Amino acid sequence: MYDFVVVGVGPAGARFARQAAAAGHDVLALEKGEVGTPLACSGHVSTDVWEYVPADAKETLLQNRIRGARFHVGGPDSRAYRFYRHEEVSNVIDRVELDRTLADAAREAGADVREGHTVTGIESHDDHVSVTASLAATATDEDRIQRTFQARLVAGADGPTSRIRRAAGLPEPGERLHGVLAFDDEPDDESFVDVHLTAPRFFAWRIPRGDAGVEYGLAASPDASVPALFEKLTRAYDVDTDRFCSGAIPIGPPERTTADRVFLLGDAAGQTKPFTGGGILYGMTAADIAADVIDPADPSTLSTYENAWREELGSDIRLGHLIRRAYSLPTPIQHAGLWALSGEIGVHMDRPTSLFSRAQLRSLFSRR
Ligand SMILES: Cc1cc2nc3c(=O)[nH]c(=O)nc-3n(C[C@H](O)[C@H](O)[C@H](O)COP(=O)(O)OP(=O)(O)OC[C@H]3O[C@@H](n4cnc5c(N)ncnc54)[C@H](O)[C@@H]3O)c2cc1C
């Protein structure tokens, strides 16, 4: 009997596995494929990410340092409104290597991390949960091996389309966006990203990734024609891209993220920033909270987790929804708002509530 079976070894699952194992619990973490693949993420994160990986990992993971964004209401030729700091605000990192690094850290802390294990079902009992996994096939589908593991508690860290969320009867996130991205190999170590408010209710982007080239991407609701919008973006930039990736982005956490002996982490719990779709830092923040407050011998501590992560991230998520509404304002109002707010900023990219911080107010009022 494991204390925890973690389903999914992305940033949220790997971080929880590491922290729970370090706290002395027996942890099994199951990943359906190979950790880190397939890629469906820009890996554009605040510098807080370095608090979650071993100190020597930065050298391998860091691709570029970013200190601001140019916002456009139209395409690449439209007017750019610059939001910046003099020092770096965020980093572009190798996302595949991030996942591998986090999984290795979990292993080193004592978690049993197994790849090629697709969880196909869970069954709750009075004092434990059975977790059934199908092992990667080496021969035909008929030969697939099934294994069942017993756990006191199960962490569903299996991403935006979480099977564990459905199996536990938990509600879906408010909305799911469709995100796509692809790369141009031309190296670019510029320190600004470009954001285009041209995708319906969201945005398109260009991210310089140092020697790893340039990434172009966008996200929008699935009913928008995302591939056609992407084609329009890259045509406007006059680039040919390759290594096309696509993934879902949950926006708006479900009303409940815990059930009998099951709890959700990361994208499965909708722990993302509604105004960017970024979820790496929020998922790992929630994972740390879960490892701190959940006692596998006492399932009633799941409600402590439910309250504690909402307390930590709830205000920023609520404000993030409000910021996102600005993406759908009429164009003249967007121009006026971007003009009024652009310039040097003191905002933390994961914490929109820092818009009201002394640093941000100081930079706003000292500008003009
Ligand atoms: C186009 C795009 C760009 C993005 N860019 C950024 C960005 O720049 N910055 C940022 O912070 N966030 C970004 N995100 C969001 C970010 O990728 C997610 O928030 C983050 O990956 C969530 O981590 P997670 O561990 O919760 O889930 P995931 O990273 O999705 O990990 C879930 C894991 O569970 C595994 N799994 C799923 N089902 C099963 C199963 N049945 N059994 C076993 N394993 C299973 C999956 O294989 C996967 O490895 C982007 C997303 C998209 C789509």
Side-chain angles (χ1 to χ4, degrees):
M1 170 87 80
Y2 290 94
D3 290 324
F4 295 103
V5 169
V6 182
V7 182
V9 187
R15 178 67 185 182
F16 176 77
R18 175 188 183 181
Q19 298 300 91
H25 299 304
D26 278 338
V27 181
L28 172 67
L30 302 175
E31 167 55 47
K32 69 176 177 187
E34 227 177 89
V35 168
T37 60
L39 172 72
C41 176
S42 307
H44 179 216
V45 286
S46 71
T47 52
D48 291 2
V49 75
W50 306 119
E51 293 164 25
Y52 294 86
V53 293
D56 59 355
K58 187 168 180 177
E59 205 182 318
T60 327
L61 298 181
L62 180 64
Q63 293 181 330
N64 198 13
R65 299 171 193 274
I66 302 295
R67 63 182 189 88
R70 286 183 293 252
F71 275 76
H72 308 255
V73 170
D77 295 333
S78 64
R79 178 171 177 182
Y81 297 92
R82 281 158 47 103
F83 292 72
Y84 63 90
R85 270 199 191 173
H86 293 292
E87 67 275 22
E88 65 183 359
V89 243
S90 57
N91 288 159
V92 182
I93 58 168
D94 180 334
R95 170 62 206 271
V96 173
E97 276 307 316
L98 172 73
D99 284 22
R100 290 182 182 148
T101 302
L102 293 166
D104 285 346
R107 287 189 179 101
E108 271 158 40
D112 181 355
V113 178
R114 300 191 198 175
E115 297 173 86
H117 282 62
T118 304
V119 171
T120 52
I122 56 170
E123 199 179 326
S124 276
H125 305 276
D126 281 349
D127 60 349
H128 73 280
V129 187
S130 308
V131 179
T132 304
S134 157
L135 274 61
T138 46
T140 62
D141 269 350
E142 285 75 33
D143 293 333
R144 271 179 186 263
I145 301 165
Q146 302 270 339
R147 286 269 155 78
T148 300
F149 305 95
Q150 321 293 337
R152 291 183 210 284
L153 298 180
V154 169
D158 50 344
T161 54
S162 174
R163 185 190 287 244
I164 300 302
R165 186 173 62 219
R166 251 177 295 131
L170 289 166
E172 295 287 307
E175 188 184 354
R176 210 154 50 207
L177 301 179
H178 178 193
V180 294
L181 50 87
F183 303 90
D184 169 21
D185 290 332
E186 193 65 40
D188 187 344
D189 58 6
E190 205 208 352
S191 58
F192 274 76
V193 298
D194 287 281
V195 175
H196 299 275
L197 303 180
T198 47
R201 302 182 58 234
F202 218 68
F203 58 82
W205 62 83
R206 177 189 188 276
I207 301 179
R209 309 191 68 95
D211 288 344
V214 178
E215 176 195 313
Y216 296 86
L218 75 85
S221 50
D223 51 359
S225 175
V226 171
L229 288 166
F230 182 76
E231 173 71 29
K232 197 171 162 194
L233 174 77
T234 50
R235 222 179 314 119
Y237 269 105
D238 194 20
V239 284
D240 287 325
T241 54
D242 61 9
R243 290 173 285 143
F244 186 82
C245 320
S246 163
I249 301 177
I251 302 285
E255 270 159 44
R256 280 180 304 119
T257 60
T258 58
D260 270 359
R261 296 188 176 275
V262 175
F263 60 102
L264 304 179
L265 289 170
D267 273 19
Q271 290 158 343
T272 62
K273 294 182 274 183
F275 64 110
T276 68
I280 296 174
L281 266 305
Y282 279 16
M284 292 200 291
T285 302
D288 280 5
I289 293 171
D292 252 10
V293 303
I294 298 175
D295 175 357
D298 179 6
S300 75
T301 53
L302 292 179
S303 65
T304 315
Y305 164 67
E306 182 86 77
N307 295 331
W309 82 255
R310 289 181 195 275
E311 175 117 342
E312 178 65 26
L313 299 174
S315 311
D316 283 301
I317 291 178
R318 278 190 295 279
L319 189 54
H321 280 294
L322 281 179
I323 295 171
R324 184 177 163 216
R325 285 201 197 156
Y327 303 161
S328 308
L329 289 171
T331 308
I333 299 180
Q334 288 182 330
H335 276 293
L338 288 171
W339 177 81
L341 295 171
S342 57
E344 193 179 347
I345 47 164
V347 183
H348 186 294
M349 76 179 268
D350 298 328
R351 295 289 183 185
T353 46
S354 61
L355 272 171
F356 307 109
S357 68
R358 209 176 282 176
Q360 171 61 13
L361 294 175
R362 208 173 23 238
S363 60
L364 195 62
F365 290 116
S366 64
R367 243 180 246 171
R368 300 191 164 89

